[in-house]
Amino acid sequence: MACTPASTALLSSHPRAVTSLNSLAKRSSFSHCAAAPSPFTGLRYSKPSVSRIPRFLSSRSTHSKHRRFVVRASTKLPLVGNKAPDFEAEAVFDQEFINVKLSDYIGKKYVILFFYPLDFTFVCPTEITAFSDRYEEFQKLNTEVLGVSTDSVFSHLAWVQTERKSGGLGDLKYPLISDMTKSISESFNVLIPDQGIALRGLFIIDKEGFIQHTTINNLAIGRSVDETLRTLQALQYVQENPDEVCPAGWKPGEKSMKPDPKLSKEYFAAI
């Protein structure tokens, strides 16, 4: 399981963890939320109701120099294609308390924003330290990494001051944000309301502040830094080359394709 004995008690103390989607909707400003019956079961989603049909930006736009090949989603769901909800919160970085505001990165950097359930747990430190060990690779891509949980900054600080061999984090190269009010987790649709903790949600936010990618894992499943880097590289490639798209598993240096019925055949003929 992804949590310590203490956090196990927290999770197991709520046997009615399967809450109706209607009940969840009343507690949140969003019309849709993920019901998480237990740390071991998969997520269940209701069919999202979109207020209008998403508009694909044409690949033949006369303003292709400034065009991004994205979906403009509804203002509620999905989050991908919309502006990331802004937040300002206290965090721990370099063993000090600092203030982090998401909008401070707009126009300057891409952001990898990831949520994890609890400090002093099992799966969480493997993810947090893995992102820290690869931090220079994100820096080269002009990207900041931000970790978030519903723990306090004091808990974050104690965990950072604990050695890795004892289940701690050691020094990290990016901030750990405290979301004790749970407002950040809720705004990004990763909060488990009955348990007061976040699912393993990860969001790639571009320099304009738009969410371009998200993955959400249940509590027992760790994420891949390799896949996060690959997706970030693919995003940056298509933003720099707006008349191209990246096929499955694309990596830098590999062949991309044209989003056109005829021109795409060049890619398929080459594979």
Side-chain angles (χ1 to χ4, degrees), residues 124-185:
C124 297
T126 66
E127 294 184 312
I128 295 167
T129 56
F131 275 103
S132 185
D133 292 343
R134 305 281 294 277
Y135 182 74
E136 284 76 13
E137 295 177 62
F138 289 102
Q139 271 196 316
K140 291 178 181 178
L141 296 171
N142 191 30
T143 301
E144 184 56 77
V145 178
L146 301 173
V148 187
S149 82
T150 57
D151 299 278
S152 71
V153 287
F154 302 102
S155 178
H156 287 348
L157 180 61
W159 205 16
V160 167
Q161 292 175 339
T162 303
E163 295 181 357
R164 289 190 182 187
K165 64 182 180 181
S166 299
L169 302 177
D171 288 330
L172 293 180
K173 298 177 181 178
Y174 59 86
L176 281 187
I177 296 169
S178 171
D179 181 28
M180 286 195 68
T181 65
K182 303 172 181 56
S183 59
I184 306 173
S185 303

Side-chain angles (χ1 to χ4, degrees), residues 88-213:
E88 186 171 0
E90 200 171 13
V92 170
F93 178 64
D94 198 21
Q95 300 201 24
E96 294 183 359
F97 297 150
I98 66 169
N99 199 60
V100 173
K101 188 174 183 180
L102 183 61
S103 56
D104 285 343
Y105 298 100
I106 293 180
K108 301 173 184 177
K109 289 189 174 186
Y110 290 78
V111 174
I112 301 295
L113 178 70
F114 73 92
F115 294 80
Y116 65 94
L118 287 168
D119 291 352
F120 294 98
T121 51
F122 302 146
V123 176
C124 297
T126 66
E127 294 184 312
I128 295 167
T129 56
F131 275 103
S132 185
D133 292 343
R134 305 281 294 277
Y135 182 74
E136 284 76 13
E137 295 177 62
F138 289 102
Q139 271 196 316
K140 291 178 181 178
L141 296 171
N142 191 30
T143 301
E144 184 56 77
V145 178
L146 301 173
V148 187
S149 82
T150 57
D151 299 278
S152 71
V153 287
F154 302 102
S155 178
H156 287 348
L157 180 61
W159 205 16
V160 167
Q161 292 175 339
T162 303
E163 295 181 357
R164 289 190 182 187
K165 64 182 180 181
S166 299
L169 302 177
D171 288 330
L172 293 180
K173 298 177 181 178
Y174 59 86
L176 281 187
I177 296 169
S178 171
D179 181 28
M180 286 195 68
T181 65
K182 303 172 181 56
S183 59
I184 306 173
S185 303
E186 184 176 27
S187 66
F188 280 85
N189 277 8
V190 295
L191 180 67
I192 307 175
D194 288 348
Q195 299 175 6
I197 59 176
L199 294 163
R200 298 187 189 280
L202 184 145
F203 301 82
I204 300 181
I205 304 168
D206 68 17
K207 287 199 298 183
E208 296 178 23
F210 285 89
I211 297 174
Q212 298 290 357
H213 166 83

Side-chain angles (χ1 to χ4, degrees), residues 35-90:
S38 79
F40 297 103
T41 57
L43 303 183
R44 296 179 180 179
Y45 291 90
S46 66
K47 185 180 295 183
S49 57
V50 180
S51 59
R52 61 181 175 83
I53 299 175
R55 178 171 62 88
F56 285 87
L57 300 181
S58 170
S59 62
R60 296 177 181 176
S61 170
T62 56
H63 303 287
S64 61
K65 192 172 184 180
H66 303 287
R67 179 185 55 75
R68 292 177 305 141
F69 191 79
V70 299
V71 176
R72 291 294 187 184
S74 72
T75 57
K76 293 186 177 180
L77 287 173
L79 289 179
V80 169
N82 287 302
K83 278 273 191 179
D86 193 18
F87 62 82
E88 186 171 0
E90 200 171 13

